[in-house]
Amino acid sequence: MTSPLVLASASPFRKTLLENAGLTFDVEPAQIDERAVEAALGDLNPEDVATILAEAKAQDVSERNPGAIVIGSDQTLSLDGAIYHKPADMDEARRRLLALSGKTHDLNSAIVLAKDGETIWRHMSVARMTMRDLDPGFIGRHLSNVGDEALSSVGAYQFEGEGIQLFERIDGDYFAIIGLPMLPLLAQLRDLGAIDG
């Protein structure tokens, strides 16, 4: 009998990616304070921050789901050494897009699998995102059009929606940009015998 799968995330985008891949799984968001975990880390690089947060989520949910393979994930956005999180409001989203305009930033997407409270696999994918030069008026019209969806992304954009219009170039995996690098995840789940393959 294969182990049940649990997604330790409230993200509708991650849930949809797993559903579209035909996986059967439960959803149980982790009960951790991400900013408190991050504050305790000190000065780490953005990839390590994403991995540690993904691991904390996976282990938290794993402890309440014996025998299950729990998928934890986290994504950080880094630009010029700074780490960015989801904007709190539309004014912060506007400032975020102005800061990213004409620059290349990294989206660091971590996945961690845990079982019975122990980490059994880690993976990191980095996508380099080059935003075109954006006119402040366009940013305002864009945010007005997409509304609060802008607040659900670390970059204040929904790349899988109208946010695609903000970009000049990307280097990296589409699924990593959305927040769950699917191909390495599926390969590992097959290796573990958790899914057919």
Side-chain angles (χ1 to χ4, degrees):
M1 181 174 164
T2 62
S3 299
L5 296 177
V6 180
L7 174 64
S9 174
S11 166
F13 306 107
R14 291 181 178 124
K15 180 177 182 272
T16 298
L17 289 174
L18 293 176
E19 287 172 342
N20 288 347
L23 299 189
T24 301
F25 60 98
D26 292 321
V27 175
E28 183 180 332
Q31 299 171 6
I32 65 165
D33 181 341
E34 294 180 44
R35 299 297 73 86
V37 171
E38 187 174 346
L41 296 177
D43 190 26
L44 292 179
N45 68 48
E47 295 93 344
D48 288 342
V49 170
T51 301
I52 290 167
L53 288 169
E55 188 162 358
K57 293 174 187 179
Q59 288 182 353
D60 174 69
V61 173
S62 178
E63 289 170 1
R64 293 188 298 279
N65 291 272
I69 294 176
V70 177
I71 304 165
S73 57
D74 195 78
Q75 185 180 65
T76 59
L77 183 154
S78 52
L79 174 68
D80 299 331
I83 298 175
Y84 293 87
H85 304 290
K86 293 176 184 174
D89 54 36
M90 293 304 276
D91 189 51
E92 188 178 347
R94 181 186 59 77
R95 290 193 311 272
R96 177 75 40 83
L97 292 178
L98 285 169
L100 297 177
S101 174
K103 297 177 183 168
T104 299
H105 63 271
D106 289 342
L107 287 179
N108 314 288
S109 294
I111 311 172
V112 172
L113 298 180
K115 186 172 182 179
D116 298 320
E118 298 292 327
T119 297
I120 58 174
W121 181 74
R122 294 177 188 88
H123 176 80
M124 166 59 62
S125 288
V126 178
R128 308 256 313 143
M129 312 287 291
T130 302
M131 199 171 275
R132 62 188 183 86
D133 286 318
L134 302 174
D135 173 82
F138 173 78
I139 290 174
R141 291 187 301 276
H142 173 75
L143 289 173
S144 177
N145 198 40
V146 300
D148 287 346
E149 283 190 10
L151 306 180
S152 65
S153 161
V154 293
Y157 53 79
Q158 290 297 322
F159 185 79
E160 64 277 17
E162 290 184 37
I164 188 70
Q165 294 188 36
L166 306 176
F167 289 90
E168 179 177 295
R169 191 179 80 243
I170 63 160
D171 296 300
D173 176 49
Y174 172 80
F175 299 109
I177 295 167
I178 306 305
L180 193 64
M182 289 295 293
L183 297 179
L185 173 61
L186 294 171
Q188 183 62 29
L189 291 174
R190 283 190 295 271
D191 286 350
L192 292 169
I195 62 173
D196 190 21

